[in-house]
């Protein structure tokens, strides 16, 4: 089966598999290259997801987003960031900053006109009873830190804010918010209806969006197996330089979500910690990335070999920043039409393949897909 579209909040929550035995790094040192930038390693298994990453569409033009990157841009370098979070073999996290999480939560509460003086903030650590049940289940073998909290939560006047360790804030409206008559906010609204809802949300929630120049990002357009098309709504700040716009689009969006009844159920604010900059890395062009793709240097969860150049439907530059990635770095993302998967009515599957955008001399390994899962 297919996974969701590549427009997800964490585009790199994927299972990668490759053999790098045929790739020799050109840099002499495995830790630092001649320019003094840290060497980067393309991550292997970043998660154990089912299925593969792909989109269903009749034509690649069905798939849309507001990515400010385009083919004509002459970018010579892009920043790479170290994730402040790291995980051990039990997937227990270190590097969390609860002070920053609390500060973020209070700022959002103020933007929502909540009373921050009386707001009670709790964490999500299990209580003594839950801990006892879990300890019994694990036969007393509870790893140290297993019960550490991973989120802060506050609730007031029907609004709940939850901030996770990744600095993603989820705002839940209870009761849900009914939009004025004439707005169609559903999982399968048309592009035009979705855009109209986005414009309404931008006018209604300017303080929550909190951007100098919010640009709407209507993204999605893929079909489900019932042949229903769907779009999602988000905003990013377009007021800054092109590189900053790219970073805002990739990392700092505010998204809105409906429920099955077409009411506003939830908003999400992404604000990952990018203070640990590894450096500005020279990047390859989209053409160079395509050459690497055609030579088998890519990572993907698609169980089919790359079928050839004529099946390349679209390419764009994205950042992958999954939960377990040590570095947040740019990749070229290729949408490849999979001939094996085309259906009788012309519905196509576009599989997603990634090529690192950072120049090879800064990488310790270069992925080579073997066309199979481990």
């Amino acid at each position: 089966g297919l996974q969701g579209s590549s427009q997800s909040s964490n585009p790199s929550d994927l299972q990668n598999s490759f053999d790098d035995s045929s790739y020799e790094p050109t840099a002499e040192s495995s830790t630092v290259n001649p320019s003094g930038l840290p060497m980067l390693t393309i991550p292997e298994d970043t998660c154990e997801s089912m299925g593969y990453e792909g989109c269903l569409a009749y034509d690649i033009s069905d798939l849309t987003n507001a990515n400010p990157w385009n083919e004509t841009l002459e970018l010579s370098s892009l920043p790479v960031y170290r994730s402040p979070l790291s995980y051990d073999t039990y997937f227990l996290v270190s590097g969390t900053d609860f002070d920053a999480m609390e500060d973020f939560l209070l700022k959002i509460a103020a933007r929502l006109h909540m009373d921050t003086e009386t707001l009670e903030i709790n964490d999500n650590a299990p209580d003594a009873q839950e801990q006892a049940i879990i300890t019994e289940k694990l036969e007393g073998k509870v790893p140290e830190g297993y019960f550490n909290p991973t989120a802060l939560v506050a609730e007031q006047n029907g609004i709940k804010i939850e901030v996770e360790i990744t600095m993603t804030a989820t705002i839940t409206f209870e009761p849900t918010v009914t939009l004025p008559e004439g707005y169609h906010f559903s999982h399968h609204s048309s592009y035009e209806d979705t855009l109209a809802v986005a414009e309404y949300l931008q006018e209604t929630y300017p303080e929550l969006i909190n951007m100098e120049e919010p640009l709407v990002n209507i993204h999605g357009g893929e079909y489900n197996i019932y042949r229903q098309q769907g779009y999602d709504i988000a905003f990013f700040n377009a007021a800054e330089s092109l590189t900053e716009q790219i970073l805002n689009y990739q990392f700092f969006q505010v998204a809105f979500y409906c429920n099955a009844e077409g009411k506003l159920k939830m908003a999400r604010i992404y604000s990952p910690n990018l203070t640990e900059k590894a450096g500005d890395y020279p990047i390859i062009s989209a053409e160079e990335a395509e050459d690497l793709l055609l030579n088998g240097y890519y990572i993907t969860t698609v169980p089919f070999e790359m079928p050839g150049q004529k099946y390349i439907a679209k390419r764009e530059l994205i950042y992958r920043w999954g939960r377990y990635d040590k570095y947040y770095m740019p990749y070229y993302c290729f949408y490849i039409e999979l001939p094996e998967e085309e259906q009788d009515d012309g519905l196509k599957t576009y599989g997603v393949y990634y090529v690192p955008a950072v120049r090879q001399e800064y990488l310790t390994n270069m992925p080579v897909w073997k066309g199979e899962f481990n």
Side-chain angles (χ1 to χ4, degrees), residues 252-274:
F252 300 108
Q253 295 204 30
V254 176
F256 290 87
Y257 304 90
C258 64
N259 65 5
E261 283 81 52
K263 297 178 179 181
L264 174 61
K265 170 185 76 172
M266 198 170 82
R268 201 163 264 154
I269 302 176
Y270 297 94
S271 187
N273 179 344
L274 300 187

Side-chain angles (χ1 to χ4, degrees), residues 5 7 61-65 217-222 229-232:
S5 108
Q7 316 290 349
S61 61
D62 294 337
L63 307 178
T64 186
N65 62 43
N217 174 26
I218 307 289
H219 59 95
E222 59 262 38
Q229 202 174 11
Y231 298 94
D232 291 303

Side-chain angles (χ1 to χ4, degrees), residues 6-113:
S6 65
Q7 316 290 349
S8 65
S9 58
N10 280 354
S12 64
D13 277 352
L14 301 172
Q15 181 186 22
N16 304 323
S17 176
F18 52 78
D19 163 34
D20 59 7
S21 57
S22 64
Y23 177 74
E24 292 296 326
T26 51
E28 288 168 7
S29 160
S30 63
T31 53
V32 172
N33 50 61
S35 65
L37 291 167
M39 293 293 289
L40 304 172
T41 300
I42 307 302
E44 297 199 42
D45 306 320
T46 51
C47 85
E48 298 298 314
S49 53
M50 294 294 289
Y52 65 87
E53 190 186 11
C55 308
L56 293 171
Y58 289 96
D59 187 81
I60 195 65
S61 61
D62 294 337
L63 307 178
T64 186
N65 62 43
N67 190 339
W69 178 85
N70 66 63
E71 303 259 347
T72 63
L73 299 176
E74 298 289 324
L75 290 172
S76 58
S77 68
L78 278 171
V80 170
Y81 302 94
R82 263 185 218 92
S83 170
L85 303 176
S86 56
Y87 293 82
D88 66 12
T89 48
Y90 297 106
F91 297 100
L92 298 177
V93 68
S94 54
T96 49
D97 186 342
F98 281 93
D99 290 340
M101 288 161 65
E102 184 172 337
D103 186 52
F104 185 36
L105 190 152
L106 288 168
K107 281 184 174 146
I108 294 167
R111 278 151 62 177
L112 287 162
H113 304 287

Side-chain angles (χ1 to χ4, degrees), residues 26-231:
T26 51
E28 288 168 7
S29 160
S30 63
T31 53
V32 172
N33 50 61
S35 65
L37 291 167
M39 293 293 289
L40 304 172
T41 300
I42 307 302
E44 297 199 42
D45 306 320
T46 51
C47 85
E48 298 298 314
S49 53
M50 294 294 289
Y52 65 87
E53 190 186 11
C55 308
L56 293 171
Y58 289 96
D59 187 81
I60 195 65
S61 61
D62 294 337
L63 307 178
T64 186
N65 62 43
N67 190 339
W69 178 85
N70 66 63
E71 303 259 347
T72 63
L73 299 176
E74 298 289 324
L75 290 172
S76 58
S77 68
L78 278 171
V80 170
Y81 302 94
R82 263 185 218 92
S83 170
L85 303 176
S86 56
Y87 293 82
D88 66 12
T89 48
Y90 297 106
F91 297 100
L92 298 177
V93 68
S94 54
T96 49
D97 186 342
F98 281 93
D99 290 340
M101 288 161 65
E102 184 172 337
D103 186 52
F104 185 36
L105 190 152
L106 288 168
K107 281 184 174 146
I108 294 167
R111 278 151 62 177
L112 287 162
H113 304 287
M114 294 161 86
D115 183 353
T116 54
E117 295 297 314
T118 61
L119 192 65
E120 190 182 317
I121 299 175
N122 299 300
D123 64 41
N124 68 339
D127 62 25
Q129 191 183 352
E130 280 177 90
Q131 289 192 27
I133 294 165
I134 293 166
T135 303
E136 192 180 330
K137 225 183 234 173
L138 297 175
E139 298 174 347
K141 300 187 184 82
V142 180
E144 194 183 337
Y146 194 81
F147 297 125
N148 288 355
T150 55
L152 295 179
V153 188
E155 215 165 330
Q156 194 180 80
N157 301 337
I159 297 174
K160 178 179 167 187
I161 305 171
E162 180 169 352
V163 174
E164 294 171 53
I165 53 175
T166 54
M167 298 295 280
T168 298
T170 301
I171 297 143
T172 314
F173 301 99
E174 187 58 59
T176 50
V177 180
T178 305
L179 271 60
E181 199 149 333
Y183 287 103
H184 303 286
F185 190 19
S186 81
H187 299 301
H188 305 295
S189 294
S190 69
Y191 184 92
E192 292 72 23
D193 282 345
T194 307
L195 184 59
V197 169
E199 286 165 355
Y200 168 78
L201 293 170
Q202 187 178 333
E203 282 170 28
T204 311
Y205 295 99
E207 290 173 342
L208 180 60
I209 296 169
N210 191 40
M211 293 171 191
E212 191 182 333
E213 200 181 302
L215 188 71
V216 65
N217 174 26
I218 307 289
H219 59 95
E222 59 262 38
Y223 288 77
N224 63 18
I225 56 168
Y226 307 107
R227 307 310 194 252
Q228 297 166 308
Q229 202 174 11
Y231 298 94

